[in-house]
Amino acid sequence: MAGRRDTGLAALAGVAAGAVTLGVGSLVALLTGPSTDPLVAVGGAFVDATPAWLKEFAVSAFGTADKLVLGIGEVVVLLSLAALAGVLAARRWAWGATLVVVLGAVAGLAAMGRPDAGTLAAAPAVVGAIAGLLTLRELIRRLPGAPGRPRPEGVQRRTFLQVTAAAGGLGVVGVLVGRAVGAGARGAQTARSAIRIPRASTTAPPVPAGVDVGVDGVGPWQTPADEFYRIDTALVVPQVDPETWSLRVHGLVEEEITLTWDELLESDLVEAWVTLACVSNPVGGDLIGNQKWLGMPIADLLARARPTDDADMVLSRSVDGFTASTPLAALTDGRDALLAVAMDGEPLPVEHGFPVRMVVPGLYGYVSATKWVTELKLTRFADETAYWTDRGWSPQGPIKTQSRIEVPRPGASVAAGPVVVAGTAWAQHRGVTAVQVRVEQGSWSDATLADDGGIDSWRQWSWTWDAEPGEYQLYVRASDPQGYQTGARADVIPDGATGYDTVRVTVT
């Protein structure tokens, strides 16, 4: 029993020292930048090394909470290793100290490998590791029964627990203060609140009154900005000052261009309704949203740069190093491909790309919707690849025609008689031409389409079913001008899911 107790106390010492390491690192990162925080740096390196199947599992299992789950998992793993360091240090100091040094080195190398790494990127990890080592040394020295501890064991244990709790508490406070002060010190939100977005030179056509199908349970046609899905690789939201922001256009062009924030706002801005979708959206999923965007047509900027004849791809780059491969044709064929600065008449939310992001109708976000964009490189698909292409996804991602049932919900029990079945369908930049519903393996029935809000926006639908008691499987499919969507089931990897959305209901 005494051996188990001693091991537990040593592990507790390691956890407290680990908390100090993270707390000090977080505080030092206030001086060196948020991406150098050991937790952020290691998490970012993990995200970059994540294979496609694991990324897809995280999104399918946790949705937009994937980053929170990653953060919790990272803390659990690091504190478990810290506990191991404590146990090793109690047996032989060199063993525990070596593990702490290795963990610090890993965090430092991860910070140095970030795209925005500066000369002091490793400082938070180094200083944090030193603080952790000193704390661990002191706590191990205070373990009950350690040499030079003449007081009764009960007193030793109580003193040890008090000191350990104090050290761990200070570490946690350091992490919380570092994150809170860091968030408050970042100026993007302040800059955003001071911006006045100019009027559009070309406004979006009026939205028909009947775009919402008017069925309770069906989401709004216009997705509220604060409910718009967010899927990206940024563990810490980049803080970009619009006054210093610029966009470089280079590569296979006759004239390299650097666009400033003021020049962008002074250009002829276009307003457009565009539905964006994530390639990780499963059949019937909700990683999709429709909004009114305002921005500069990317085609206008490319016309100034004059791409060479052999260019067929634009490699866009975010301030945090993320890249996307967009077909050049999709940016120059007349669709409302924008360098967006606003959604729903307000500056972009910081987490959605403030000050500037890309919006390209008809393409999944991983190949088009780069947030915090700072670079457009004209190149060729044969010559360069992008972030997700390197991880097994298709280099080009046209959105597939899809539909979903939102009412009734899966597993619902409904009364016999007229039952309203309703939902949403999308075929961006092609347009939804029809929606049909099927009960079990019966014949397909035409649904009633809501008014059309534009070729680049999704479309709601409804159908009334004369239901009889029993259990039934409902199916939905949509068509675009090329025909109905396929019913063949396919995973989201490598270029988007396919198949009919289905709902099982009970009629009583």
Side-chain angles (χ1 to χ4, degrees):
M1 291 295 294
R4 293 179 185 175
R5 183 184 63 193
D6 293 344
T7 298
L9 293 177
L12 188 61
V15 170
V20 169
T21 298
L22 297 178
V24 171
S26 184
L27 292 173
V28 176
L30 293 175
L31 303 175
T32 56
S35 65
T36 64
D37 185 308
L39 279 174
V40 175
V42 173
F46 176 81
V47 169
D48 288 348
T50 298
W53 66 266
L54 183 55
K55 175 262 182 186
E56 185 47 42
F57 168 77
V59 173
S60 62
F62 308 113
T64 55
D66 58 339
K67 295 178 180 62
L68 174 62
V69 173
L70 171 62
I72 293 173
E74 184 184 2
V75 170
V76 170
V77 170
L78 290 177
L79 292 184
S80 297
L81 291 172
L84 176 61
V87 173
L88 294 175
R91 297 179 180 179
R92 182 170 295 180
W93 168 250
W95 294 350
T98 298
L99 180 54
V100 173
V101 171
V102 169
L103 293 176
V106 169
L109 290 173
M112 293 171 63
R114 305 313 298 159
D116 57 348
T119 56
L120 297 177
V126 172
V127 177
I130 292 173
L133 276 174
L134 294 175
T135 302
L136 183 61
R137 183 70 173 177
E138 180 61 22
L139 293 178
I140 294 299
R141 189 181 69 80
R142 290 176 175 269
L143 279 172
R149 306 296 294 169
R151 288 182 292 177
E153 184 173 341
V155 176
Q156 291 183 33
R157 188 172 185 275
R158 185 165 56 252
T159 302
F160 169 80
L161 291 175
Q162 290 172 345
V163 173
T164 301
L170 288 174
V172 172
V173 169
V175 172
L176 296 177
V177 170
R179 294 297 176 88
V181 174
R186 297 170 200 159
Q189 191 60 53
T190 301
R192 179 181 180 273
S193 63
I195 288 175
R196 297 295 177 266
I197 296 296
R199 292 180 179 273
S201 299
T202 302
T203 58
V207 176
V211 292
D212 277 295
V213 76
V215 175
D216 288 342
V218 175
W221 183 79
Q222 178 181 1
T223 308
D226 59 355
E227 297 178 12
F228 208 90
Y229 79 94
R230 180 197 165 197
I231 297 290
D232 53 54
T233 62
L235 294 184
V236 175
V237 177
Q239 305 291 308
V240 182
D241 183 354
E243 293 302 318
T244 60
W245 175 88
S246 64
L247 178 74
R248 181 188 179 204
V249 183
H250 66 111
L252 299 178
V253 296
E254 295 183 16
E255 180 181 352
E256 184 171 320
I257 293 173
T258 298
L259 180 72
T260 67
W261 173 250
D262 288 340
E263 290 172 337
L264 193 160
L265 293 188
E266 292 169 0
S267 66
D268 291 334
L269 300 182
V270 170
E271 196 176 62
W273 288 97
V274 178
T275 296
L276 298 184
C278 180
V279 71
S280 294
N281 197 36
V283 172
D286 58 2
L287 298 179
I288 183 170
N290 186 52
Q291 254 294 347
K292 181 172 65 176
W293 308 90
L294 176 70
M296 175 186 185
I298 297 175
D300 291 355
L301 188 62
L302 295 180
R304 289 170 52 191
R306 303 190 302 281
T308 59
D309 292 340
D310 53 341
D312 64 7
M313 186 254 275
V314 173
L315 188 70
S316 56
R317 186 179 300 274
S318 167
V319 68
D320 65 350
F322 172 84
T323 54
S325 55
T326 308
L328 176 59
L331 302 175
T332 57
D333 64 1
R335 72 183 73 187
D336 290 319
L338 305 175
L339 289 173
V341 297
M343 55 192 301
D344 198 23
E346 298 290 334
L348 292 173
V350 176
E351 64 272 18
H352 286 294
F354 177 83
V356 185
R357 68 170 294 167
M358 291 175 63
V359 171
V360 183
L363 301 180
Y364 287 119
Y366 83 105
V367 296
S368 67
T370 303
K371 302 174 184 177
W372 314 289
V373 62
T374 60
E375 180 183 341
L376 300 180
K377 182 179 181 181
L378 277 294
T379 182
R380 302 193 312 152
F381 281 102
D383 296 336
E384 301 205 48
T385 56
Y387 186 94
W388 286 117
T389 310
D390 293 335
R391 290 156 176 80
W393 296 77
S394 172
Q396 302 189 44
I399 292 176
K400 298 175 180 178
T401 299
Q402 279 290 314
S403 52
R404 70 185 183 199
I405 300 172
E406 298 171 51
V407 176
R409 306 301 297 172
S413 179
V414 298
V419 174
V420 175
V421 182
T424 308
W426 53 91
Q428 291 92 310
H429 207 58
R430 298 182 302 279
V432 173
T433 57
V435 171
Q436 293 184 328
V437 181
R438 186 179 76 192
V439 180
E440 294 291 339
Q441 299 305 311
S443 59
W444 291 100
S445 299
D446 291 330
T448 300
L449 293 177
D451 287 347
D452 190 357
I455 193 174
D456 294 328
S457 295
W458 57 12
R459 197 165 184 184
Q460 297 186 355
W461 57 270
S462 66
W463 175 68
T464 300
W465 170 35
D466 188 12
E468 298 180 354
E471 290 193 0
Y472 301 91
Q473 194 85 6
L474 305 179
Y475 298 77
V476 65
R477 69 177 184 178
S479 72
D480 59 31
Q482 283 74 51
Y484 280 97
Q485 68 179 87
T486 177
R489 280 274 176 168
D491 192 14
V492 297
I493 299 173
D495 59 0
T498 62
Y500 298 147
D501 187 28
T502 65
V503 171
R504 191 76 177 171
V505 297
T506 300
V507 182
T508 58

